[in-house]
Amino acid sequence: MLFSSLEFIYLFMPPVLVVFFLLRHLSWEKGIIWWLIISSLVFYGWWSPPHLILLLLSVGINFGLHKYILKTRSKFTLIVGTFGNLATLAYFKYADFFIGNFNLFTDAQFPLLHVVLPLAISFFTFQQISFLYDTYAGNVVKCDFARYCLFVVFFPQLIAGPIVLQKHTIPQFKLSVFRHQAFLNFSVGITLFIIGLFKKIVLADGIAPVANSVFGLADAGETVPMEAAWMGAIAYSFQIYFDFSGYCDMALGIARMFGIRLPLNFNSPYKSLSIIEFWRRWHITLSTFLRDYLYFPLGGNRKGVLRRYLNLSATMILGGLWHGASWNFVIWGALHGGFLILNHGWRSLGLPQVGVRFLSPLVYNLLARALTMQAVILAWVFFRAETISGAGNIIVGMFGWSTNHNAKVWSDVLQDTGPFWVQSVLLAAIVFVYPNSVEIVRKYRPALDFKSLLKDRAGRWELWKLPAWRPSPGWSFALFAVGLVSLIQIYRLDELTEFIYFNF
C-alpha cells in the first residue's frame, strides 16, 4: 500500500485515525499501542501476506535476543544476533547477485534462486541491529514487547525510513504523548502529508517520463545525444529529489497525526556547498547509521589519514550496496567515497578559506554549490541506470563524446524539448530558492532533531521565504488547493508508481 494511493487515503487512514482518537479519548495507552501495531501489520501485509510472517519472526527473535543480552551482557549473543540479521538480509537481497557473479567469474552454472525481496527488509534489519547494539552498550530505553514491536513496525516509517533508533520513538509511545495537542498535531501532520503528496504525484512523477525514456534507451544500447543525456540525468535528479522528499514529508506528517515525531531525514540536500554537507542532508538517518555503526567501528579518522580515507571508501561502497544488489550501486557508492576523500583533502589544505578570500563568499558559494550538484548528478546516472553499459552511454553523451545517434529512436525525446527545460527551471526554483516543508512548519517542531535544521540554516540566504505555517483559513485554503490538484492527478494516472526507496 502506497501513501499516495487512494486505498491508503480513503480506506486505510480514516478508520485508523478514528479508532486512535476513540482510544485516546478513553485514555487507553495499551489499546492505542496495540491498535497502531495491528494497523501497521495490515499496512505491511497488504503488499505481501507471506512476508508478514518473516517480519513477525524477525521481531520476535530479536526481542528475545534483546532480553537475553539485557540479562547476560553476552557479546557472543550480540555477534550471533547481528550476523543472523545480516545473513537474512544477504539471503533475500544479495543471494542471486552473488550467485550470478560467481557464475560469471568461474563459468559455473549454479541456478539463480529468484528470491523475492521482502519490502522494507533493509530498514527493519538495520533498526533491530542498532537495538541489539544499544542493548549491549547499556543505552537502551526500557520497553516491553508491545513498544518494541511498534518501534519496528510503526507504519509511517516501516517501508522506507527514516531508520529510527530506539531512543527516538520508544519514549514517545505513552499516553501523555498521544493525548498532547491532538488538533495541532493533526493540523501539522496533514499539512506535511499534503505537501509530500504533491511532491510525489505532481513533481516527481511529472518529470519521471523523461528520465524513463532516456535511461530506457541507453540501457537498450542506444548511443545518447548530448542534450538527451543531460535531460535524462537532470530529470532523474529532480525525480529522486522530490520522490524521496515527498516520502519523508508524508512519513513525518502521518506519524505526527498520532503525536509522534520522527527524526529529520531530508534537509534540502541540493543546497549543499560540498559533498560532506550533502551527506549530512540526504537520507540523514542512513548516513548517521553508517557513521555510527560502520565508519566509527572501522576506526573512523582516529588511525591516520590513509586509514580514514580507506574507511570512508569502504563505508560508502557498502552504503551503495545497501541500496541494491547491483554493481551500479557499488560504483555509485565508490564515486561518493571518492568525492568525500577529495572534499576532505580540499578542506585539510585550507583551500576553502583561500577561495572565499579571493572570490568573495557569494561567488565561492555559488561555484561550490554548482560543483557539488555536478558531482551528485553524475553519480545519479549510475544509481538510475539498470546496466553499467547504460550508465556509460549516458555519461559519454553528457560529455559530448557519443556519435552515430539513431535520430528516429530519439525523435520523441528531442522533438520539443522546450517544455522540459521550462519545467526544470521551475523545479530548480523550488529546490534552490524556496524553503523546504519542514522549514515552512518550523514553529511547531516538525521533527525530533529540529535544532540541527536551524543550525544548518544559519547564514543561508534564499531569494524568497514563505512565512511560517500556522493553522489559519488562508493556509487551509492553499493546502486544500494543493491536495485537490494531487488527488486529481492520482485519478488521471494509469497506475501509481512506487516511491523509489521502496525498492531498497
Side-chain angles (χ1 to χ4, degrees):
M1 191 186 304
L2 302 173
F3 291 164
S4 54
S5 68
L6 296 177
E7 294 88 351
F8 181 85
I9 295 170
Y10 291 141
L11 299 180
F12 181 80
M13 276 302 290
V16 172
L17 286 168
V18 167
V19 175
F20 166 78
F21 281 110
L22 175 62
L23 295 172
R24 175 187 172 278
H25 179 71
L26 297 174
S27 299
W28 189 13
E29 181 180 277
K30 279 289 185 182
I32 294 173
I33 292 172
W34 280 107
W35 173 244
L36 291 177
I37 291 171
I38 292 168
S39 301
S40 299
L41 295 178
V42 170
F43 174 81
Y44 187 86
W46 190 287
W47 170 75
S48 176
H51 286 107
L52 183 59
I53 299 173
L54 174 67
L55 175 61
L56 291 173
L57 282 173
S58 177
V59 169
I61 292 171
N62 278 284
F63 185 74
L65 291 169
H66 151 71
K67 298 296 286 186
Y68 188 76
I69 294 173
L70 200 62
K71 181 179 179 180
T72 64
R73 301 295 178 186
S74 169
K75 187 174 183 179
F76 177 75
T77 304
L78 171 65
I79 294 171
V80 169
T82 302
F83 178 80
N85 279 290
L86 292 176
T88 303
L89 177 63
Y91 170 75
F92 282 101
K93 195 164 186 176
Y94 305 107
D96 283 339
F97 175 70
F98 291 141
I99 292 172
N101 281 282
F102 183 82
N103 289 343
L104 179 64
F105 290 113
T106 64
D107 292 326
Q109 298 295 323
F110 290 105
L112 298 179
L113 302 177
H114 300 292
V115 180
V116 177
L117 179 67
L119 197 64
I121 188 171
S122 298
F123 292 93
F124 68 71
T125 297
F126 273 26
Q127 279 186 225
Q128 295 188 103
I129 288 174
S130 71
F131 189 83
L132 293 179
Y133 182 86
D134 287 346
T135 301
Y136 177 76
N139 299 324
V140 73
V141 176
K142 185 178 180 180
C143 67
D144 55 16
F145 176 73
R147 284 178 172 80
Y148 174 77
C149 187
L150 185 57
F151 153 70
V152 178
V153 306
F154 188 43
F155 72 89
Q157 52 83 36
L158 171 62
I159 305 300
I163 300 173
V164 298
L165 305 181
Q166 45 83 25
K167 65 181 180 181
H168 291 146
T169 54
I170 290 179
Q172 297 186 72
F173 297 151
K174 55 187 179 182
L175 187 62
S176 59
V177 174
F178 296 137
R179 287 184 58 84
H180 184 65
Q181 295 183 316
F183 174 75
L184 179 61
N185 285 334
F186 183 81
S187 299
V188 174
I190 198 68
T191 297
L192 288 170
F193 181 85
I194 290 173
I195 294 173
L197 182 67
F198 182 82
K199 287 180 180 178
K200 165 61 179 171
I201 296 298
V202 178
L203 303 184
D205 289 353
I207 198 77
V210 176
N212 294 339
S213 297
V214 173
F215 279 91
L217 290 170
D219 282 322
E222 296 291 339
T223 56
V224 186
M226 187 174 185
E227 185 180 16
W230 278 102
M231 287 173 63
I234 291 172
Y236 185 70
S237 298
F238 283 131
Q239 180 194 355
I240 193 170
Y241 181 95
F242 287 110
D243 188 281
F244 191 43
S245 175
Y247 171 83
C248 291
D249 289 345
M250 296 169 84
L252 284 175
I254 296 167
R256 186 62 179 270
M257 292 182 201
F258 303 105
I260 304 298
R261 288 182 174 88
L262 296 178
L264 188 66
N265 205 29
F266 190 94
N267 184 17
S268 298
Y270 286 179
K271 293 180 181 178
S272 302
L273 302 179
S274 67
I275 291 294
I276 294 173
E277 185 182 354
F278 173 84
W279 279 106
R280 291 173 181 164
R281 290 169 167 263
W282 177 274
H283 210 325
I284 299 167
T285 57
L286 175 63
S287 301
T288 302
F289 183 94
L290 292 175
R291 182 197 67 194
D292 293 347
Y293 295 96
L294 183 58
Y295 177 69
F296 286 164
L298 287 173
N301 59 0
R302 300 187 303 273
K303 298 184 178 181
V305 175
L306 179 60
R307 180 65 179 271
R308 177 192 193 181
Y309 291 161
L310 289 174
N311 292 340
L312 267 176
S313 298
T315 300
M316 294 309 300
I317 288 172
L318 290 173
L321 194 59
W322 175 87
H323 284 83
S326 165
W327 285 109
N328 278 35
F329 289 117
V330 174
I331 294 172
W332 174 77
L335 281 172
H336 272 281
F339 296 154
L340 285 170
I341 290 171
L342 290 173
N343 197 170
H344 280 289
W346 178 266
R347 286 189 175 185
S348 67
L349 295 174
L351 295 178
Q353 291 77 15
V354 175
V356 168
R357 188 165 61 250
F358 281 94
L359 296 175
S360 83
L362 176 60
V363 174
Y364 179 83
N365 287 347
L366 287 173
L367 291 175
R369 183 174 292 180
L371 181 61
T372 300
M373 274 305 304
Q374 289 293 324
V376 170
I377 292 172
L378 181 72
W380 281 141
V381 171
F382 290 92
F383 193 94
R384 170 60 179 84
E386 298 290 336
T387 62
I388 294 177
S389 61
N393 288 336
I394 297 287
I395 296 296
V396 169
M398 290 172 70
F399 284 95
W401 298 335
S402 63
T403 56
N404 301 321
H405 314 125
N406 189 328
K408 186 176 181 180
V409 167
W410 291 103
S411 60
D412 289 340
V413 175
L414 297 175
Q415 185 175 15
D416 184 12
T417 60
F420 167 80
W421 293 113
V422 171
Q423 184 181 17
S424 296
V425 170
L426 294 175
L427 293 179
I430 296 173
V431 168
F432 296 110
V433 177
Y434 285 60
N436 61 42
S437 308
V438 180
E439 290 170 334
I440 291 173
V441 296
R442 58 189 177 272
K443 286 188 175 181
Y444 301 95
R445 292 181 58 239
L448 275 178
D449 42 3
F450 187 60
K451 289 184 179 179
S452 65
L453 172 63
L454 296 178
K455 182 179 179 181
D456 283 344
R457 292 178 73 233
R460 298 280 170 184
W461 56 269
E462 291 166 342
L463 296 179
W464 187 73
K465 292 185 178 181
L466 282 175
W469 174 90
R470 61 185 178 86
S472 67
W475 275 107
S476 297
F477 178 78
L479 289 168
F480 175 79
V482 170
L484 185 62
V485 170
S486 303
L487 286 174
I488 291 172
Q489 183 64 12
I490 293 175
Y491 283 110
R492 292 176 58 189
L493 294 174
D494 294 330
E495 60 178 346
L496 288 174
T497 59
E498 290 184 345
F499 290 94
I500 292 172
Y501 267 78
F502 274 28
N503 298 313
F504 308 141

mmCIF file of all heavy atoms in Angstrom, residues 210 214 224-233 394 398 410 413-414 421:
data_model
loop_
_atom_site.group_PDB
_atom_site.id
_atom_site.type_symbol
_atom_site.label_atom_id
_atom_site.label_comp_id
_atom_site.label_asym_id
_atom_site.label_seq_id
_atom_site.Cartn_x
_atom_site.Cartn_y
_atom_site.Cartn_z
ATOM 1 N N VAL A 210 10.527 11.554 -18.687
ATOM 2 C CA VAL A 210 11.733 11.927 -19.437
ATOM 3 C C VAL A 210 12.900 11.051 -19.013
ATOM 4 O O VAL A 210 13.635 10.507 -19.854
ATOM 5 C CB VAL A 210 12.062 13.415 -19.217
ATOM 6 C CG1 VAL A 210 13.382 13.775 -19.915
ATOM 7 C CG2 VAL A 210 10.932 14.299 -19.717
ATOM 8 N N VAL A 214 14.910 8.257 -21.523
ATOM 9 C CA VAL A 214 16.336 8.367 -21.826
ATOM 10 C C VAL A 214 17.096 7.160 -21.286
ATOM 11 O O VAL A 214 17.883 6.529 -22.004
ATOM 12 C CB VAL A 214 16.906 9.679 -21.255
ATOM 13 C CG1 VAL A 214 18.426 9.714 -21.428
ATOM 14 C CG2 VAL A 214 16.273 10.884 -21.948
ATOM 15 N N VAL A 224 23.654 8.014 -26.920
ATOM 16 C CA VAL A 224 22.779 9.070 -26.414
ATOM 17 C C VAL A 224 23.299 10.436 -26.841
ATOM 18 O O VAL A 224 24.446 10.794 -26.527
ATOM 19 C CB VAL A 224 22.692 9.011 -24.872
ATOM 20 C CG1 VAL A 224 21.666 10.006 -24.361
ATOM 21 C CG2 VAL A 224 22.331 7.592 -24.411
ATOM 22 N N PRO A 225 22.481 11.237 -27.532
ATOM 23 C CA PRO A 225 22.887 12.609 -27.864
ATOM 24 C C PRO A 225 23.124 13.433 -26.599
ATOM 25 O O PRO A 225 22.557 13.148 -25.541
ATOM 26 C CB PRO A 225 21.697 13.148 -28.667
ATOM 27 C CG PRO A 225 20.946 11.946 -29.126
ATOM 28 C CD PRO A 225 21.164 10.899 -28.081
ATOM 29 N N MET A 226 23.917 14.468 -26.714
ATOM 30 C CA MET A 226 24.309 15.244 -25.545
ATOM 31 C C MET A 226 23.103 15.855 -24.829
ATOM 32 O O MET A 226 22.990 15.764 -23.598
ATOM 33 C CB MET A 226 25.286 16.349 -25.964
ATOM 34 C CG MET A 226 25.892 17.102 -24.787
ATOM 35 S SD MET A 226 27.173 18.265 -25.350
ATOM 36 C CE MET A 226 27.797 18.869 -23.782
ATOM 37 N N GLU A 227 22.187 16.476 -25.582
ATOM 38 C CA GLU A 227 21.041 17.096 -24.935
ATOM 39 C C GLU A 227 20.175 16.056 -24.236
ATOM 40 O O GLU A 227 19.722 16.254 -23.100
ATOM 41 C CB GLU A 227 20.199 17.885 -25.941
ATOM 42 C CG GLU A 227 19.052 18.636 -25.260
ATOM 43 C CD GLU A 227 18.188 19.432 -26.227
ATOM 44 O OE1 GLU A 227 18.266 19.172 -27.444
ATOM 45 O OE2 GLU A 227 17.416 20.295 -25.752
ATOM 46 N N ALA A 228 19.962 14.926 -24.892
ATOM 47 C CA ALA A 228 19.142 13.872 -24.296
ATOM 48 C C ALA A 228 19.794 13.330 -23.031
ATOM 49 O O ALA A 228 19.111 13.037 -22.039
ATOM 50 C CB ALA A 228 18.918 12.744 -25.300
ATOM 51 N N ALA A 229 21.106 13.187 -23.038
ATOM 52 C CA ALA A 229 21.819 12.672 -21.863
ATOM 53 C C ALA A 229 21.637 13.600 -20.674
ATOM 54 O O ALA A 229 21.351 13.157 -19.555
ATOM 55 C CB ALA A 229 23.299 12.504 -22.184
ATOM 56 N N TRP A 230 21.791 14.903 -20.915
ATOM 57 C CA TRP A 230 21.609 15.857 -19.826
ATOM 58 C C TRP A 230 20.154 15.925 -19.377
ATOM 59 O O TRP A 230 19.862 16.071 -18.176
ATOM 60 C CB TRP A 230 22.108 17.241 -20.238
ATOM 61 C CG TRP A 230 23.596 17.357 -20.090
ATOM 62 C CD1 TRP A 230 24.543 17.302 -21.074
ATOM 63 C CD2 TRP A 230 24.304 17.526 -18.856
ATOM 64 N NE1 TRP A 230 25.797 17.427 -20.543
ATOM 65 C CE2 TRP A 230 25.690 17.567 -19.179
ATOM 66 C CE3 TRP A 230 23.928 17.647 -17.537
ATOM 67 C CZ2 TRP A 230 26.676 17.718 -18.205
ATOM 68 C CZ3 TRP A 230 24.899 17.799 -16.560
ATOM 69 C CH2 TRP A 230 26.256 17.838 -16.893
ATOM 70 N N MET A 231 19.239 15.798 -20.322
ATOM 71 C CA MET A 231 17.820 15.781 -19.956
ATOM 72 C C MET A 231 17.516 14.599 -19.037
ATOM 73 O O MET A 231 16.830 14.743 -18.020
ATOM 74 C CB MET A 231 16.951 15.704 -21.215
ATOM 75 C CG MET A 231 16.890 16.997 -22.018
ATOM 76 S SD MET A 231 16.022 16.791 -23.610
ATOM 77 C CE MET A 231 14.376 16.333 -23.043
ATOM 78 N N GLY A 232 18.032 13.423 -19.393
ATOM 79 C CA GLY A 232 17.780 12.241 -18.574
ATOM 80 C C GLY A 232 18.385 12.359 -17.186
ATOM 81 O O GLY A 232 17.739 12.036 -16.181
ATOM 82 N N ALA A 233 19.631 12.836 -17.131
ATOM 83 C CA ALA A 233 20.318 12.950 -15.841
ATOM 84 C C ALA A 233 19.656 13.997 -14.952
ATOM 85 O O ALA A 233 19.464 13.792 -13.748
ATOM 86 C CB ALA A 233 21.788 13.295 -16.063
ATOM 87 N N ILE A 394 25.057 7.115 -21.060
ATOM 88 C CA ILE A 394 24.614 8.431 -20.603
ATOM 89 C C ILE A 394 25.819 9.327 -20.330
ATOM 90 O O ILE A 394 25.854 10.494 -20.755
ATOM 91 C CB ILE A 394 23.761 8.308 -19.325
ATOM 92 C CG1 ILE A 394 22.472 7.514 -19.584
ATOM 93 C CG2 ILE A 394 23.436 9.693 -18.767
ATOM 94 C CD1 ILE A 394 21.443 8.235 -20.379
ATOM 95 N N MET A 398 26.748 12.841 -22.025
ATOM 96 C CA MET A 398 26.831 14.094 -21.260
ATOM 97 C C MET A 398 28.094 14.870 -21.585
ATOM 98 O O MET A 398 28.084 16.110 -21.598
ATOM 99 C CB MET A 398 26.778 13.787 -19.758
ATOM 100 C CG MET A 398 25.418 13.300 -19.271
ATOM 101 S SD MET A 398 25.443 12.716 -17.554
ATOM 102 C CE MET A 398 25.682 14.276 -16.674
ATOM 103 N N TRP A 410 15.448 8.702 -31.184
ATOM 104 C CA TRP A 410 15.443 9.827 -30.243
ATOM 105 C C TRP A 410 14.460 10.932 -30.631
ATOM 106 O O TRP A 410 14.383 11.958 -29.945
ATOM 107 C CB TRP A 410 16.847 10.422 -30.142
ATOM 108 C CG TRP A 410 17.805 9.493 -29.461
ATOM 109 C CD1 TRP A 410 18.762 8.719 -30.042
ATOM 110 C CD2 TRP A 410 17.872 9.216 -28.060
ATOM 111 N NE1 TRP A 410 19.431 7.984 -29.107
ATOM 112 C CE2 TRP A 410 18.915 8.263 -27.868
ATOM 113 C CE3 TRP A 410 17.173 9.670 -26.942
ATOM 114 C CZ2 TRP A 410 19.248 7.767 -26.625
ATOM 115 C CZ3 TRP A 410 17.504 9.185 -25.697
ATOM 116 C CH2 TRP A 410 18.528 8.246 -25.549
ATOM 117 N N VAL A 413 11.969 11.972 -27.868
ATOM 118 C CA VAL A 413 12.577 12.652 -26.725
ATOM 119 C C VAL A 413 12.983 14.075 -27.082
ATOM 120 O O VAL A 413 12.798 15.005 -26.288
ATOM 121 C CB VAL A 413 13.809 11.859 -26.224
ATOM 122 C CG1 VAL A 413 14.513 12.612 -25.111
ATOM 123 C CG2 VAL A 413 13.392 10.469 -25.769
ATOM 124 N N LEU A 414 13.529 14.257 -28.283
ATOM 125 C CA LEU A 414 14.117 15.543 -28.655
ATOM 126 C C LEU A 414 13.231 16.384 -29.572
ATOM 127 O O LEU A 414 13.647 17.451 -30.030
ATOM 128 C CB LEU A 414 15.462 15.294 -29.354
ATOM 129 C CG LEU A 414 16.536 14.617 -28.492
ATOM 130 C CD1 LEU A 414 17.780 14.324 -29.325
ATOM 131 C CD2 LEU A 414 16.890 15.496 -27.303
ATOM 132 N N TRP A 421 12.716 22.003 -20.397
ATOM 133 C CA TRP A 421 13.640 22.957 -19.781
ATOM 134 C C TRP A 421 12.900 23.998 -18.958
ATOM 135 O O TRP A 421 13.401 24.439 -17.908
ATOM 136 C CB TRP A 421 14.508 23.611 -20.857
ATOM 137 C CG TRP A 421 15.449 22.630 -21.499
ATOM 138 C CD1 TRP A 421 15.414 22.184 -22.787
ATOM 139 C CD2 TRP A 421 16.536 21.960 -20.869
ATOM 140 N NE1 TRP A 421 16.417 21.271 -23.011
ATOM 141 C CE2 TRP A 421 17.126 21.111 -21.847
ATOM 142 C CE3 TRP A 421 17.066 21.968 -19.595
ATOM 143 C CZ2 TRP A 421 18.216 20.302 -21.578
ATOM 144 C CZ3 TRP A 421 18.166 21.159 -19.317
ATOM 145 C CH2 TRP A 421 18.730 20.332 -20.295
#
